[in-house]
Amino acid sequence: MIRLPPPVPAEAVLDLLIPGADVIVPLANGEPTSILDAIEAAADQLEGVRIHQMHALRDRPYLHGVYGDRLRHVSYFLSHITRPAYWEGTIDLVPNHFSEVPTLLRRSTRCTVVIAACSPPDQHGYFSLGTNADYVVDLIGRVPIFLEATPHMPRTRGANLVHHSQVEGWCESDRPLIEVPRSEPNDVDRAIASLVAERIPDRASVQIGIGSIASAVLDSLGGHRDLGIHTELLHDGMVDLVEAGVVTGAYKEVRRNRVVTTFCLGTRRLYDWLEDNAVVELLGVDFVNDPRVIARMRRFNSVNATTEVDLMGQCASETIGGRYWSSSGGQADFARGAMYAEEGQAFIVTPSLTRAGDSRIVASLTAGSVVTTLKNTVDHVVTEHGVAELRGRSLADRARALIAVADPSARDDLNRAARRLGLFV
């Protein structure tokens, strides 16, 4: 008979917050809302506490500097919630590759305590971190952990289980999970997706990002067979492919017959589907996104979006108009892994024009924009006008291929710019 320690008030976490504490919080729905409520309520008693988190989805006063240096947020990926706060200067942003965040946290912070949302404990005394594994699972058993159990969190399998003996304390809440419906594709998205899907072979393992082009790519894969999923983010569109038998994982070299991810974000349908689903494994991001792991999978295909590509093939995927918008995430992780995989392919996708009608294929990146995926790593750039194959090509040939997939209205200017830059004569 397992004797669980009883739940305690969320305020009990305050006993762990020493001056200068570094508090690690999972991304998205892994955030324990009641615990953070308690921390904010006691902010006047805190001293130099930092909350480290990627992609926060709930707005909070401390994000806007209400508590000054007593309680401050450190982001590793900006969301629509934290982006304005970063622009206001009330939070910090640490550049990173997603695969390396666990190492960054261990080396650059005290890792004072992990606080996380979870499912209620099972009969064996284990809590599940549900939708998340991300950078937190690497700290289980090594760092004090305080949990918030909610019945809305699905119990999932993988490396994200925490035994009650590893928990400093746990509380309960009835908070719902945030739902993020899929982005509906338009005709441009579907044109891009068709060009990508026809190049992905049967039996490939895939990583596909989020957004309307990603939704269209998943829709376009319905006629494929025996695909495998090894992705940082699992969302609703992937459920459709599993249920249709398109995804089996039978030919994966890593975690065969399993859908592998490091976090999940979607609608209630996804969260219900995850409940005790043995085919899904939630594993740490330092495994899932490790290019060396990805490279072990034959025919690995990654699909990720960008906002701007210059004529050398450099992709700026985390800034818009020279202003920070998100962060690197796992784009470079998967592009590098696909580069090393036998018969691997990496696709960078983007509409040829912005909503304002400006070309996303540019002579030089906008001032203030940063390179997310290096020119030496970029493989294919896909717009609705075609596929620019860049790997192994000269700078002149790269420029010509990219101009060919730019919007026709931009091509003359791009040709003139390429000559001015000395890319070709």
Side-chain angles (χ1 to χ4, degrees), residues 147-171:
L147 296 177
E148 178 180 321
T150 168
H152 304 288
M153 181 66 81
R155 173 168 296 281
T156 57
R157 303 190 183 193
N160 62 341
L161 300 179
V162 185
H163 191 256
H164 71 86
S165 64
Q166 298 171 308
V167 173
E168 294 291 324
W170 66 287
C171 63

Side-chain angles (χ1 to χ4, degrees), residues 187-309:
D187 290 342
V188 169
D189 299 328
R190 284 187 281 269
I192 295 169
S194 177
L195 292 168
V196 172
E198 69 186 19
R199 286 166 171 76
I200 296 177
D202 291 339
R203 303 181 180 180
S205 293
V206 298
Q207 173 268 326
I208 298 174
I210 197 167
S212 57
I213 299 177
S215 296
V217 171
L218 291 168
D219 291 344
S220 299
L221 292 175
H224 282 58
R225 295 178 59 84
D226 288 319
L227 296 180
I229 290 178
H230 183 103
T231 189
E232 71 178 35
L233 168 60
L234 187 70
H235 46 90
D236 288 66
M238 296 176 179
V239 176
D240 296 332
L241 294 181
V242 177
E243 292 186 336
V246 173
V247 169
T248 65
Y251 291 87
K252 288 178 68 183
E253 286 77 16
V254 176
R255 308 308 299 159
R256 183 173 177 268
N257 298 326
R258 294 290 183 269
V259 171
V260 172
T261 188
T262 199
F263 78 104
C264 311
L265 185 62
T267 67
R268 190 68 238 178
R269 178 198 175 209
L270 170 67
Y271 306 145
D272 290 342
W273 182 79
L274 288 169
E275 179 67 37
D276 203 30
N277 191 332
V279 79
V280 181
E281 286 190 330
L282 273 288
L283 303 178
V285 71
D286 52 351
F287 175 86
V288 175
N289 283 38
D290 187 337
R292 294 163 295 191
V293 172
I294 296 163
R296 289 160 50 192
M297 286 176 274
R298 187 182 179 196
R299 302 191 186 102
F300 192 89
N301 284 248
S302 72
V303 183
N304 290 289
T306 194
T307 61
E308 197 174 50
V309 185

